[in-house]
Each structure stands twice: as structure tokens, then as C-alpha cells.
């Protein structure tokens, strides 16, 4: 029961923290606000990662060789993006923060695609309209034509 409440709460908290970072950092009047605005994508990335974990718990298809390869590549992109962001704030150029965030989002997108592929398939029901024969003009219409359809 704790997992069913904890994971969605973490996802919502990530979104709230991300929005708060944007609101606080928007004026960009000082260095702290600039950093908050630059890093506001990280809590949102965390929320998406938690959402992927929630979806993965519903997956029924097993992990195959290609699936593992895509997941490891996605994790590599995420790790490389986080390292680039750390390096950008320590000795490197600050412009690499945005490239690092892009790499994190690419890795999350790969994880999302794999997770969606592993979810159970829905069964589709198709409905067909059967046309009346023109030869049965004397036959009674099965629908009551005296009633108006309700919306």
C-alpha cells in the first residue's frame, strides 16, 4: 500500500518542485535565481522517471536482449547528461547544462518507449453498421422511430 501512494506522491512532488523553481528563478536577478531556472528541469525529469517506474510495474512482457540494450543505452544517456550538468557547474562552460538536460530527456524517452512496448495489449472491438436490404420495405424497423434519442 505504501508503494501505491509513495510513487505517485513523488511524481507530483517533482512537478511541484519544478514549477516552484521556475517561479522563484524567473526574474533571474541574481546567480541563485539563474541556477534555479537552469536546473528546474531536473525535478520534472525525476517525476517522469517515477512515472516510468509506475508504468513498468504493470508490464507483462519480459525483458528481451534488445529491450535491455535500449534501457542500458537510455541509462547511459541519463548518466552522461547528469555528468555533463555537474561538469558544467564545476569547471566547465555553463552552456553544457542544457545539453546535459537534453541527454537526460533522451534517456527518459528511451525508457518510456521500452515501458510502453512491454505493457499489455488492449483488445479492440470493431463495430460494423449493417445496412438494411431495400427489398424488405414492409419489414418493421427494429428501432422505435417514435422516440427521440437522448443526449
Amino acid at each position: 500500500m505504501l508503494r501505491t501512494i509513495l510513487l505517485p506522491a513523488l511524481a507530483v512532488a517533482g512537478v511541484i518542485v519544478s514549477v516552484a523553481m521556475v517561479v522563484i528563478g524567473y526574474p533571474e536577478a541574481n546567480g541563485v535565481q539563474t541556477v534555479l531556472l537552469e536546473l528546474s528541469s531536473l525535478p520534472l525529469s525525476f517525476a517522469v522517471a517515477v512515472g516510468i517506474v509506475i508504468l513498468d510495474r504493470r508490464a507483462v512482457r519480459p525483458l528481451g536482449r534488445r529491450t535491455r540494450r535500449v534501457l542500458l543505452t537510455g541509462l547511459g544517456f541519463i548518466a552522461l547528461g547528469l555528468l555533463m550538468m555537474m561538469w558544467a557547474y564545476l569547471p566547465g562552460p555553463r552552456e553544457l547544462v542544457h545539453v546535459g538536460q537534453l541527454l537526460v530527456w533522451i534517456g527518459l524517452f528511451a525508457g518510456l518507449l521500452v515501458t510502453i512496448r512491454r505493457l499489455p495489449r488492449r483488445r479492440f472491438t470493431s463495430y460494423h453498421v449493417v445496412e438494411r436490404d431495400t427489398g424488405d420495405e414492409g419489414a418493421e424497423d427494429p428501432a422505435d422511430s417514435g422516440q427521440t434519442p437522448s443526449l
Side-chain angles (χ1 to χ4, degrees):
M1 168 135 174
L2 184 62
R3 282 185 175 178
T4 59
I5 295 172
L6 182 66
L7 288 177
L10 284 174
V12 169
V15 172
I16 291 172
V17 168
S18 180
V19 169
M21 288 173 74
V22 169
V23 169
I24 293 170
Y26 180 66
E28 290 188 270
N30 55 27
V32 174
Q33 288 179 331
T34 303
V35 170
L36 281 174
L37 199 56
E38 285 177 348
L39 294 179
S40 64
S41 174
L42 279 179
L44 194 59
S45 301
F46 175 75
V48 170
V50 170
I52 292 171
V53 169
I54 291 170
L55 283 177
D56 190 60
R57 293 177 66 202
R58 298 180 181 176
V60 294
R61 299 174 100 191
L63 287 173
R65 189 176 345 146
R66 285 187 298 170
T67 305
R68 285 191 183 109
R69 194 176 319 141
V70 170
L71 282 177
L72 287 175
T73 304
L75 284 174
F77 272 103
I78 292 171
L80 182 62
L82 291 174
L83 285 174
M84 283 183 85
M85 282 189 274
M86 284 178 17
W87 185 56
Y89 278 107
L90 296 175
R94 287 285 283 271
E95 292 81 25
L96 288 180
V97 171
H98 305 294
V99 176
Q101 288 176 349
L102 176 67
L103 291 176
V104 168
W105 282 106
I106 289 172
L108 288 172
F109 183 67
L112 183 64
L113 288 178
V114 166
T115 303
I116 288 172
R117 177 91 169 114
R118 293 183 56 222
L119 288 176
R121 303 264 186 232
R122 285 194 172 188
R123 303 224 186 268
F124 291 105
T125 305
S126 61
Y127 297 98
H128 300 284
V129 177
V130 179
E131 293 186 30
R132 275 181 49 182
D133 279 344
T134 55
D136 294 338
E137 292 182 24
E140 192 173 309
D141 193 12
D144 187 9
S145 60
Q147 292 183 350
T148 58
S150 63
L151 300 174

